[in-house]
Amino acid sequence: MGSLLEVEAVTVSFGGHRALDQAGLSAEAGRVTGLIGPNGAGKSTLFDVICGLRRPVSGRVTMNGREVTRLGPARRARHGLARTFQRLELFGRLSVRDNLLVAAELGRRHGDAHAVVDDIIGRLGLDQVADTTADELPTGTGRLVEVGRAMATRPSVLLLDEPAAGLDPTETEKFAELVRTLAADGVAVLLVEHDMGLVMSVCDQLFVLDLGTIISSGPPEVVRRDEAVLAAYLGEG
Ligand code: ADP
Ligand code: MG
C-alpha cells in the first residue's frame, strides 16, 4: 500500500527567513512516522503546511493520492486529517466529554457520537475526569484529551505535535501504547516529539529536519547512528 500522506519539496519563508526549504516526507497507513529535529527546525511549520494553516511558497501535499495543497483546513479535515497543537487548544469551559463530543459530531463518519466518545474515554483512561472542565485539568491530562479529540474525528492521518510534553512516565508509557494501537487500526500517525525514548520506541520510520531541510530518514536504528543527525543535535544536550 502506498503512502497515505505525501509531502514534496515544500518551501516556506517568513520574511527573508526560510523556515522550510524543499522539505518532503511521507507517512503510511498502519505505521507511526516520527518527525524530529532541533528547536526551530521547522517541524510545527511543516504541520501547519500539511493541515492547510500555512500556504507554502512551493511544493505539494497529497493525501490518499489526491493533491490537497490548495485546500483549506476544513476540507482537509473532511478528507480524514486531524492534528493536535503544541500548545493546548481545548475548549476550556467544556467538560472533557463535551470536548470529545464536539469533535465526534464533526467526524466525517457519522454513527453514534456518544459511543465513539465513550470508547475514547475508556482507551485514554479518562473516566475519572470525563465531567471535569478542560480548564481544571493538569497539563498531562489535557494533552491526552487533545489526542482524544483528534481521535474522535476518526482520522486516517493523525498529526501529533509534542503530545507527550507534560506527561509523567506512566502517562507516557500508556500514550506510547495508544499510538501503537491507533496505527494498528490503520491510521497513518505522524509524530513530532522531543522525548527520544518515546520516539525510538514507537516510530517505524523517522524523518529528521534541521534548518528547514530533511537531513536524514529511515528506521530509528539507522537514523540514530547517522552522523548528520548527531551533528544537528550537538549542543542540544
Ligand atoms: P519547530 O517546531 O521545529 O521548533 P517551527 O516550525 O516552530 O520549528 O519554527 C521554524 C522556524 O520558523 C523558526 O526559526 C521560527 O522562529 C520561525 N517561525 C515559525 N513561525 C513563525 C512565524 N509565524 N513568523 C515568523 N517566523 C516563524
Ligand atoms: Mg514546534
Side-chain angles (χ1 to χ4, degrees), residues 14 17 19 37-46 54 86 161-162 209:
F14 293 116
H17 172 65
N39 261 322
K43 305 178 297 293
S44 293
T45 303
L46 190 53
R54 186 163 299 280
Q86 194 169 346
D161 198 350
E162 302 203 17
L209 197 56

mmCIF file of all heavy atoms in Angstrom, residues 14 17 19 37-46 54 86 161-162 209, ligand 1:
data_model
loop_
_atom_site.group_PDB
_atom_site.id
_atom_site.type_symbol
_atom_site.label_atom_id
_atom_site.label_comp_id
_atom_site.label_asym_id
_atom_site.label_seq_id
_atom_site.Cartn_x
_atom_site.Cartn_y
_atom_site.Cartn_z
ATOM 1 N N PHE A 14 9.408 33.084 6.061
ATOM 2 C CA PHE A 14 8.859 34.129 6.934
ATOM 3 C C PHE A 14 9.733 35.357 6.714
ATOM 4 O O PHE A 14 10.854 35.400 7.208
ATOM 5 C CB PHE A 14 8.919 33.704 8.408
ATOM 6 C CG PHE A 14 8.021 32.543 8.735
ATOM 7 C CD1 PHE A 14 8.541 31.331 9.151
ATOM 8 C CD2 PHE A 14 6.641 32.689 8.631
ATOM 9 C CE1 PHE A 14 7.704 30.267 9.469
ATOM 10 C CE2 PHE A 14 5.802 31.629 8.949
ATOM 11 C CZ PHE A 14 6.331 30.420 9.362
ATOM 12 N N HIS A 17 13.441 34.783 5.967
ATOM 13 C CA HIS A 17 13.923 33.558 6.596
ATOM 14 C C HIS A 17 13.210 32.323 6.053
ATOM 15 O O HIS A 17 11.990 32.223 6.104
ATOM 16 C CB HIS A 17 13.727 33.667 8.110
ATOM 17 C CG HIS A 17 14.015 32.414 8.846
ATOM 18 N ND1 HIS A 17 15.280 31.866 8.900
ATOM 19 C CD2 HIS A 17 13.210 31.588 9.550
ATOM 20 C CE1 HIS A 17 15.234 30.749 9.606
ATOM 21 N NE2 HIS A 17 13.984 30.559 10.013
ATOM 22 N N ALA A 19 11.948 29.026 6.620
ATOM 23 C CA ALA A 19 11.670 28.081 7.702
ATOM 24 C C ALA A 19 11.683 26.658 7.171
ATOM 25 O O ALA A 19 12.032 25.712 7.889
ATOM 26 C CB ALA A 19 10.335 28.409 8.347
ATOM 27 N N GLY A 37 13.871 16.813 15.148
ATOM 28 C CA GLY A 37 14.839 17.842 14.775
ATOM 29 C C GLY A 37 14.933 18.862 15.889
ATOM 30 O O GLY A 37 14.018 18.981 16.695
ATOM 31 N N PRO A 38 16.042 19.611 15.923
ATOM 32 C CA PRO A 38 16.249 20.588 16.996
ATOM 33 C C PRO A 38 15.154 21.656 17.008
ATOM 34 O O PRO A 38 14.423 21.813 16.021
ATOM 35 C CB PRO A 38 17.603 21.226 16.651
ATOM 36 C CG PRO A 38 18.229 20.343 15.634
ATOM 37 C CD PRO A 38 17.141 19.587 14.962
ATOM 38 N N ASN A 39 15.078 22.388 18.104
ATOM 39 C CA ASN A 39 14.147 23.511 18.204
ATOM 40 C C ASN A 39 14.336 24.477 17.052
ATOM 41 O O ASN A 39 15.455 24.810 16.704
ATOM 42 C CB ASN A 39 14.409 24.273 19.507
ATOM 43 C CG ASN A 39 13.415 23.868 20.564
ATOM 44 O OD1 ASN A 39 12.240 23.640 20.258
ATOM 45 N ND2 ASN A 39 13.871 23.770 21.799
ATOM 46 N N GLY A 40 13.227 24.921 16.454
ATOM 47 C CA GLY A 40 13.316 25.892 15.364
ATOM 48 C C GLY A 40 13.606 25.259 14.011
ATOM 49 O O GLY A 40 13.755 25.955 13.009
ATOM 50 N N ALA A 41 13.667 23.921 13.955
ATOM 51 C CA ALA A 41 13.990 23.232 12.698
ATOM 52 C C ALA A 41 12.903 23.412 11.637
ATOM 53 O O ALA A 41 13.174 23.348 10.442
ATOM 54 C CB ALA A 41 14.208 21.750 12.960
ATOM 55 N N GLY A 42 11.646 23.641 12.087
ATOM 56 C CA GLY A 42 10.548 23.814 11.137
ATOM 57 C C GLY A 42 9.457 22.759 11.249
ATOM 58 O O GLY A 42 8.561 22.673 10.402
ATOM 59 N N LYS A 43 9.466 21.970 12.324
ATOM 60 C CA LYS A 43 8.520 20.860 12.464
ATOM 61 C C LYS A 43 7.072 21.348 12.544
ATOM 62 O O LYS A 43 6.200 20.846 11.830
ATOM 63 C CB LYS A 43 8.876 20.020 13.708
ATOM 64 C CG LYS A 43 10.314 19.514 13.710
ATOM 65 C CD LYS A 43 10.670 18.737 14.969
ATOM 66 C CE LYS A 43 10.608 19.525 16.259
ATOM 67 N NZ LYS A 43 11.640 20.597 16.374
ATOM 68 N N SER A 44 6.823 22.318 13.423
ATOM 69 C CA SER A 44 5.444 22.815 13.560
ATOM 70 C C SER A 44 4.996 23.525 12.276
ATOM 71 O O SER A 44 3.828 23.420 11.877
ATOM 72 C CB SER A 44 5.324 23.766 14.748
ATOM 73 O OG SER A 44 5.525 23.059 15.964
ATOM 74 N N THR A 45 5.927 24.221 11.631
ATOM 75 C CA THR A 45 5.591 24.886 10.370
ATOM 76 C C THR A 45 5.191 23.847 9.315
ATOM 77 O O THR A 45 4.235 24.041 8.561
ATOM 78 C CB THR A 45 6.790 25.726 9.873
ATOM 79 O OG1 THR A 45 7.149 26.656 10.903
ATOM 80 C CG2 THR A 45 6.456 26.475 8.602
ATOM 81 N N LEU A 46 5.901 22.720 9.287
ATOM 82 C CA LEU A 46 5.559 21.664 8.332
ATOM 83 C C LEU A 46 4.166 21.099 8.649
ATOM 84 O O LEU A 46 3.368 20.834 7.741
ATOM 85 C CB LEU A 46 6.629 20.565 8.344
ATOM 86 C CG LEU A 46 6.538 19.513 7.235
ATOM 87 C CD1 LEU A 46 6.477 20.159 5.851
ATOM 88 C CD2 LEU A 46 7.724 18.553 7.295
ATOM 89 N N ARG A 54 -0.956 26.942 6.686
ATOM 90 C CA ARG A 54 0.020 27.818 6.050
ATOM 91 C C ARG A 54 0.263 27.364 4.618
ATOM 92 O O ARG A 54 0.487 26.183 4.366
ATOM 93 C CB ARG A 54 1.332 27.827 6.833
ATOM 94 C CG ARG A 54 2.314 28.835 6.283
ATOM 95 C CD ARG A 54 3.421 29.158 7.245
ATOM 96 N NE ARG A 54 2.957 29.734 8.493
ATOM 97 C CZ ARG A 54 2.614 31.029 8.656
ATOM 98 N NH1 ARG A 54 2.652 31.856 7.637
ATOM 99 N NH2 ARG A 54 2.226 31.456 9.832
ATOM 100 N N GLN A 86 0.944 22.132 19.560
ATOM 101 C CA GLN A 86 1.997 22.112 20.572
ATOM 102 C C GLN A 86 1.489 22.745 21.861
ATOM 103 O O GLN A 86 1.788 22.292 22.956
ATOM 104 C CB GLN A 86 3.218 22.846 20.030
ATOM 105 C CG GLN A 86 4.470 22.617 20.827
ATOM 106 C CD GLN A 86 5.697 23.152 20.107
ATOM 107 O OE1 GLN A 86 5.655 23.464 18.919
ATOM 108 N NE2 GLN A 86 6.777 23.258 20.827
ATOM 109 N N ASP A 161 1.634 16.954 17.584
ATOM 110 C CA ASP A 161 2.753 17.876 17.805
ATOM 111 C C ASP A 161 3.121 17.908 19.288
ATOM 112 O O ASP A 161 2.422 18.502 20.098
ATOM 113 C CB ASP A 161 2.391 19.287 17.310
ATOM 114 C CG ASP A 161 3.628 20.168 17.105
ATOM 115 O OD1 ASP A 161 4.727 19.754 17.527
ATOM 116 O OD2 ASP A 161 3.481 21.256 16.518
ATOM 117 N N GLU A 162 4.209 17.251 19.627
ATOM 118 C CA GLU A 162 4.716 17.140 21.006
ATOM 119 C C GLU A 162 3.633 16.732 22.004
ATOM 120 O O GLU A 162 3.427 17.401 23.027
ATOM 121 C CB GLU A 162 5.398 18.444 21.414
ATOM 122 C CG GLU A 162 6.529 18.780 20.451
ATOM 123 C CD GLU A 162 7.583 19.686 21.037
ATOM 124 O OE1 GLU A 162 7.645 19.817 22.264
ATOM 125 O OE2 GLU A 162 8.361 20.243 20.253
ATOM 126 N N LEU A 209 14.516 16.761 10.537
ATOM 127 C CA LEU A 209 14.506 18.102 9.955
ATOM 128 C C LEU A 209 15.557 18.935 10.687
ATOM 129 O O LEU A 209 15.641 18.915 11.914
ATOM 130 C CB LEU A 209 13.107 18.678 10.160
ATOM 131 C CG LEU A 209 12.622 19.877 9.359
ATOM 132 C CD1 LEU A 209 12.711 19.624 7.860
ATOM 133 C CD2 LEU A 209 11.177 20.198 9.742
HETATM 134 P P1 ADP B 1 9.956 23.673 15.414
HETATM 135 O O1 ADP B 1 8.521 23.295 15.554
HETATM 136 O O2 ADP B 1 10.785 22.639 14.714
HETATM 137 O O3 ADP B 1 10.590 24.052 16.729
HETATM 138 P P2 ADP B 1 8.937 25.968 13.962
HETATM 139 O O4 ADP B 1 8.267 25.396 12.791
HETATM 140 O O5 ADP B 1 8.100 26.425 15.091
HETATM 141 O O6 ADP B 1 10.081 24.957 14.493
HETATM 142 O O7 ADP B 1 9.839 27.209 13.505
HETATM 143 C C1 ADP B 1 10.727 27.123 12.391
HETATM 144 C C2 ADP B 1 11.381 28.480 12.159
HETATM 145 O O8 ADP B 1 10.423 29.405 11.657
HETATM 146 C C3 ADP B 1 11.948 29.122 13.402
HETATM 147 O O9 ADP B 1 13.125 29.828 13.047
HETATM 148 C C4 ADP B 1 10.863 30.069 13.854
HETATM 149 O O10 ADP B 1 11.399 31.146 14.566
HETATM 150 C C5 ADP B 1 10.271 30.509 12.521
HETATM 151 N N1 ADP B 1 8.837 30.809 12.618
HETATM 152 C C6 ADP B 1 7.857 29.945 12.961
HETATM 153 N N2 ADP B 1 6.639 30.521 12.900
HETATM 154 C C7 ADP B 1 6.867 31.810 12.503
HETATM 155 C C8 ADP B 1 6.018 32.924 12.246
HETATM 156 N N3 ADP B 1 4.690 32.824 12.379
HETATM 157 N N4 ADP B 1 6.602 34.079 11.854
HETATM 158 C C9 ADP B 1 7.938 34.174 11.708
HETATM 159 N N5 ADP B 1 8.795 33.160 11.928
HETATM 160 C C10 ADP B 1 8.275 31.993 12.329
#
